[in-house]
Amino acid sequence: MIGLDIGLLDLVLEPLRYDFMVRALVTTVVAAIVCALLSCWLVLIGWSLMGDAVSHAVLPGVVLAYIVGAPFALGAVVFGLGAVALIGLVRGTGRVKEDAAIGIVFTTLFALGLVLISVTPSQTDLGHIIFGNILGISRGDLLQIGVLAALVAAVLLAKRRDLTLYAFDPAHAHAIGLSPRRLGALLLGALALTCVVALQVVGVILVVAMLIIPGATARLLTDRFSRMLVIAPVSAALCAIAGILGSFWLDASSGGLVVLAQGLLFALVLVLGPRGVLAARRRAGGDGIVPARA
């Protein structure tokens, strides 16, 4: 037993002997927590497609910010909110449905970002924006990600009551003096900043997974939103740790393993959880039992 304990301890501690792994682990946990917080509202409102759209649409903004030497967050917010405005414009014609408008806008902007990457002379590989580069995180990157994540988390937690009311009943929120439009814009701005936070970890392509899976997993475990705000970040942080440590030992994609861990946890809860497939079948079987009569 002692030998087994030592082996398991080494399994965790060995990667942490390297500074780049420590930075990767801290960054991934921070990004996973803030993405999980936001995912609770995205899942509740039904903004999964919007999260996908904004996470892809920020790509040209990030590349242009790199070209002019501006902060990545500025370019991401501008293009994220611009994408939402374009979706509203296309949908406003009355001839194109919302899902089609979202697909048109985010794929076009994502393609623009790919073109900009391909023609931009750079001393660094801008491909990390698409696929992530968590093992290449510098201290400066860690500081930027930490500041942005703290800002988003602080805003979400400070406005959680208003945002939750907006998610459940926008009409009631308007009736008591809140502005649904401003609250929606606040969530979209937080979404754009969160995309920048997660870019370094999993890249543009997999950002949407970190923005949706934790909230969906928590939703399967509880009906109380306050509990979702705890379950989602905790589960996301544990998956982040498992993914980063697993990438060290398996020599595999760090971001891919983080998202894979979240997906596997969701599948486990979906099947075995209190509201999962097996529980539903047991309830259905119990309902079908007819008590014997004397």
Side-chain angles (χ1 to χ4, degrees), residues 1 8 85-86 89 110 118 152 179 204-205 209 238 247-248:
M1 290 295 294
L8 291 175
L86 284 174
L89 182 64
F110 184 65
S118 67
V152 172
S179 171
V204 168
I205 295 177
L238 292 176
S247 70
F248 178 85

Side-chain angles (χ1 to χ4, degrees), residues 51-105:
D52 194 16
V54 174
S55 64
H56 284 72
V58 301
L59 178 60
V62 172
V63 178
L64 287 174
Y66 172 84
I67 294 174
V68 302
F72 285 178
L74 178 61
V77 170
V78 170
F79 270 76
L81 296 180
V84 175
L86 284 174
I87 291 170
L89 182 64
V90 174
R91 183 183 57 189
T93 62
R95 306 282 295 181
V96 181
K97 293 185 178 180
E98 184 177 27
D99 59 343
I102 289 174
I104 292 168
V105 170

Side-chain angles (χ1 to χ4, degrees), residues 19-27 72 128 133-146 200:
D19 289 341
F20 73 93
M21 286 299 299
V22 174
R23 289 195 296 270
L25 183 62
V26 172
T27 302
F72 285 178
H128 72 269
N133 185 31
I134 187 60
L135 298 182
I137 289 289
S138 66
R139 294 183 182 274
D141 294 330
L142 177 57
L143 178 61
Q144 174 184 308
I145 289 171
Q200 294 275 15

Side-chain angles (χ1 to χ4, degrees), residues 201-216:
V201 181
V202 296
V204 168
I205 295 177
L206 292 178
V207 164
V208 66
M210 295 184 69
L211 287 170
I212 300 301
I213 295 178

